[in-house]
Amino acid sequence: MSYFSNIFNGIKTLLTGMSITGKYFLNSRKGAITQQYPDNRDTLKMFDRFRGEVIMPHDENNEHACTGCQKCEIACPNGTIEIIWDRGIDEYTGKNKKKIDKFVYHLSMCTMCGLCIDVCPTDAIKWGQNFENSVYDRTALTRVLNKPGSKLRPGVED
Amino acid sequence: MQESATLNNSFKSEEYFINMGPQHPATHGVLRLLLTIDGEIIKKVEPDLGYIHRSIEKMCERDSYQQIVHLTDRMDYLSSHINNEAVCLTVENALELEIPDRVKVIRTIIGELTRIASHCLWWGVMGMDVGALTTYFYGFRDREMINDIFEETCGARLTMNYNVPGGLMWDIHPNFIKRVKDFVAHFKTKIPEYNKLLTGNIIFQKRTKGVGVLSKEDAISFGVSGPVARGSGYSCDVRKYHPYSALDKVTFNEVLEADGDTFARYNVRIRELWESLSIIEQLIDNIPDGEHRVKTNAVIKLPKGEFYQKVETARGELGVYIISTGTKNPYRMKFRSPGFSNLSALNHMAVGGKIGDLVATMATLDLVIPDIDR
Ligand code: SF4
Ligand code: SF4
């Protein structure tokens, strides 16, 4: 007798499980979480805080807020940021001041820890939402974040 | 006469070695198991470690205390928030920093969400290991909601690095509370589905009941912790015995199962999902106002001495041990990772079973290899 009840119970548990999968099969359009990437590129919006890469925003006058204090370079755990700096006369104040020549960012080494952005006293760098960073050559991931010809926004002091 | 003797000998089985891994789907990472088997009966399992060793402990000696936090993301990446919390708690205790209640509550909520996410992934993979592919998709579907919560508030889905010594990197996102409530309501309807789909399934029960038994005494002597130890009836939840952050303000039950087999360990994790949900529900409506971070010095120097803190990750007890000589780097940093001790019991549990049983046993150990190798 227990032989048959075993078979019966076995089939019952299988059918209970199948009722779940069957329910999802019939309602497959509801609650689907897959996204049609990359077809949805135009509408895809990442969250504001998403850490894709470090960027340096420039305003319309091609000015940024980086004073070249190098705090981010010291805070970075793996040498991702290299600041090549120089001294020069500031055209607004007339003082001899430190300024950045190149803000080199090696995206290939960045662990997205956020310490650089956290320490920056002038909020000169922030998170960018771009995540499509696959390239054929690693050197393409080394970027200079300050745009050519850009300079420090007047009034920014660290 | 002689002929029949050779015939008999040729039917005698012989022990032989076989490699499982380092690239084997059931080892969940680059773990190599050296199996000594006789036919399909396992005689001995020798884990061979080190394939993903990145010398995290040594790197910590070079880094400042803020920088150490992000390395612990890469140990047990499924409990990254809890690992970060462990380091931050150690540093904060050493500095005798007073942490605002808001930080404590948020840390606990995100910690429990991490635990649920980790158990969801484990449940999916567990089903897949014993041959039920569907569970994988359902587990990942629910984990996806948690990952979205993390992405919105912490900025990353897996290696979150949201804790800093002294608090949290940012305050929670305005949508956080609503999203968490939505998730709790959603997930409450899903756990019964998990049970219907897999727990009650006759094939699954036959594959797991009485397989990979670990007695309570053995669990203690191997030093296993977390759901593996609790599946053997050994009460060892760090959240109960040494509550940290806001865990002393909530009530929850420590989940214990007596049998010590694969099914018991499975049940512990499923029942822990309910407990984690209940912890989140108790906290989510009363997150206190206040600062999300207290100011620390830009260069953190710990006082001279030794500091230890343990937390309960999704896999068990994680201990962080710092020896400081008063400089800005630790003199020595040691992590007591749960996976390493849990793996040590594998040989004991698997001997005498079949290879298929080994896979089922390993699935309930819930190994994360970077956590073992560090
Ligand atoms: S980005 Fe910020 S921290 Fe880095 S050098 Fe510029 S101002 Fe200093
Ligand atoms: S996010 Fe971290 S690793 Fe990347 S550049 Fe900033 S400090 Fe360095």
Side-chain angles (χ1 to χ4, degrees):
Chain A
M1 207 55 227
S2 86
Y3 176 75
F4 288 106
S5 71
N6 270 349
I7 293 179
F8 181 73
N9 272 336
I11 292 174
K12 202 175 108 192
T13 65
L14 294 183
L15 287 180
T16 319
M18 298 260 291
S19 71
I20 304 280
T21 45
K23 199 180 85 195
Y24 282 111
F25 178 65
L26 294 175
N27 298 308
S28 57
R29 300 218 168 256
K30 244 195 292 168
I33 56 153
T34 40
Q35 297 185 2
Q36 298 299 327
Y37 182 81
D39 294 337
N40 66 348
R41 264 207 189 121
D42 305 332
T43 53
L44 183 68
K45 192 176 168 321
M46 305 304 286
F47 291 112
D48 296 338
R49 292 182 184 176
F50 174 69
R51 310 180 192 183
E53 60 184 353
V54 176
I55 54 169
M56 182 181 283
H58 288 62
D59 62 11
E60 60 280 3
N61 304 327
N62 204 13
E63 288 168 339
H64 55 74
C66 176
T67 59
C69 68
Q70 291 184 294
K71 282 189 178 150
C72 51
E73 190 177 356
I74 296 165
C76 181
N78 41 35
T80 301
I81 296 175
E82 253 177 274
I83 291 170
I84 299 167
W85 56 277
D86 204 359
R87 283 193 174 275
I89 305 291
D90 192 87
E91 26 180 300
Y92 296 95
T93 56
K95 283 191 227 149
N96 190 9
K97 268 186 33 178
K98 195 172 171 183
K99 61 174 195 213
I100 54 167
D101 189 11
K102 272 186 191 154
F103 186 111
V104 185
Y105 172 59
H106 302 277
L107 177 58
S108 51
M109 301 200 308
C110 180
T111 52
M112 312 294 164
C113 67
L115 294 176
C116 52
I117 293 169
D118 204 39
V119 295
C120 180
T122 56
D123 290 335
I125 41 178
K126 63 186 195 79
W127 285 116
Q129 265 85 35
N130 171 39
F131 59 90
E132 295 175 332
N133 287 322
S134 37
V135 286
Y136 285 107
D137 183 3
R138 193 151 57 110
T139 53
L141 293 173
T142 295
R143 295 170 187 172
V144 177
L145 294 192
N146 55 324
K147 290 190 190 150
S150 64
K151 54 182 192 296
L152 179 64
R153 191 173 305 139
V156 176
E157 298 272 343
D158 51 353
Chain B
M1 199 58 214
Q2 218 170 9
E3 256 172 31
S4 81
T6 19
L7 206 62
N8 272 338
N9 273 339
S10 68
F11 279 115
K12 247 220 221 114
S13 60
E14 222 172 78
E15 280 185 15
Y16 64 106
F17 297 101
I18 190 170
N19 272 322
M20 187 165 169
Q23 302 291 351
H24 191 283
T27 56
H28 299 199
V30 275
L31 171 71
R32 173 168 166 243
L33 296 177
L34 200 60
L35 309 183
T36 310
I37 46 183
D38 183 1
E40 219 195 323
I41 310 288
I42 292 177
K43 296 281 181 205
K44 198 162 148 206
V45 182
E46 287 171 278
D48 182 13
L49 309 177
Y51 287 92
I52 190 163
H53 177 69
R54 295 144 299 167
S55 71
I56 285 185
E57 286 176 5
K58 193 71 191 168
M59 279 156 85
C60 290
E61 292 170 17
R62 170 205 77 178
D63 282 353
S64 74
Y65 289 102
Q66 286 101 330
Q67 292 172 344
I68 284 171
V69 176
H70 92 290
L71 289 175
T72 58
D73 276 336
R74 277 94 188 157
M75 289 171 12
D76 175 0
Y77 44 78
L78 295 178
S79 317
S80 57
H81 179 89
I82 312 179
N83 298 348
N84 297 165
E85 193 178 348
V87 176
C88 291
L89 286 172
T90 324
V91 174
E92 285 155 8
N93 288 346
L95 292 174
E96 290 170 4
L97 270 185
E98 193 58 52
I99 298 301
D101 281 346
R102 183 177 179 82
V103 174
K104 290 184 181 170
V105 169
I106 295 172
R107 278 183 180 172
T108 308
I109 294 173
I110 298 192
E112 292 310 311
L113 284 173
T114 313
R115 194 183 314 278
I116 295 177
S118 169
H119 283 359
C120 278
L121 187 143
W122 158 81
W123 180 78
V125 175
M126 166 95 209
M128 208 166 69
D129 277 346
V130 294
L133 189 66
T134 321
T135 59
Y136 190 75
F137 300 106
Y138 293 176
F140 268 68
R141 173 196 61 197
D142 300 331
R143 181 171 169 270
E144 185 68 21
M145 279 182 86
I146 303 182
N147 277 353
D148 277 348
I149 297 173
F150 289 161
E151 194 179 340
E152 195 171 40
T153 286
C154 319
R157 301 164 71 81
L158 199 66
T159 52
M160 295 183 282
N161 193 32
Y162 184 48
N163 284 304
V164 289
L168 305 166
M169 200 169 255
W170 304 294
D171 207 349
I172 49 171
H173 195 274
N175 290 345
F176 178 77
I177 295 178
K178 188 183 163 293
R179 271 185 188 264
V180 172
K181 281 186 178 163
D182 284 352
F183 170 76
V184 172
H186 164 88
F187 198 55
K188 275 189 172 166
T189 63
K190 297 302 167 198
I191 305 178
E193 279 189 7
Y194 284 14
N195 284 332
K196 272 190 193 167
L197 192 65
L198 195 63
T199 318
N201 186 300
I202 184 81
I203 303 170
F204 177 72
Q205 292 198 358
K206 290 257 178 261
R207 291 266 336 246
T208 51
K209 277 191 178 163
V211 167
V213 180
L214 184 71
S215 70
K216 187 174 171 182
E217 289 69 33
D218 289 332
I220 295 171
S221 72
F222 278 111
V224 303
S225 57
V228 182
R230 292 198 282 281
S232 301
Y234 173 40
S235 150
C236 63
D237 198 330
V238 181
R239 293 177 293 168
K240 267 270 186 262
Y241 289 103
H242 305 277
Y244 50 90
S245 293
L247 283 164
D248 49 353
K249 294 200 193 71
V250 293
T251 49
F252 66 100
N253 301 319
E254 183 178 5
V255 179
L256 288 177
E257 292 271 340
D259 295 346
D261 58 0
T262 300
F263 192 65
R265 289 188 286 275
Y266 169 88
N267 261 337
V268 167
R269 289 208 178 80
I270 292 287
R271 284 170 55 202
E272 266 188 12
L273 291 173
W274 288 111
E275 299 301 331
S276 292
L277 281 183
S278 124
I279 294 176
I280 294 171
E281 274 189 322
Q282 289 170 48
L283 293 174
I284 192 72
D285 276 324
N286 15 9
I287 301 179
D289 292 331
E291 290 290 305
H292 67 276
R293 188 172 185 176
V294 285
K295 265 236 151 321
T296 54
N297 294 341
V299 178
I300 295 181
K301 286 187 181 167
L302 291 202
K304 216 171 159 175
E306 300 176 13
F307 308 98
Y308 186 73
Q309 170 77 41
K310 51 184 176 181
V311 296
E312 180 85 14
T313 72
R315 259 143 224 90
E317 178 184 324
L318 172 78
V320 177
Y321 179 55
I322 299 178
I323 302 180
S324 162
T325 50
T327 58
K328 64 183 172 41
N329 315 103
Y331 174 73
R332 171 82 170 95
M333 185 115 186
K334 160 89 184 133
F335 296 105
R336 185 259 183 230
S337 70
F340 188 75
S341 315
N342 291 358
L343 177 68
S344 70
L346 180 64
N347 180 41
H348 181 81
M349 289 147 87
V351 165
K354 302 260 164 50
I355 294 179
D357 296 343
L358 171 70
V359 173
T361 309
M362 257 206 328
T364 47
L365 285 184
D366 195 10
L367 301 173
V368 166
I369 312 304
D371 178 44
I372 297 170
D373 282 348
R374 296 194 291 287

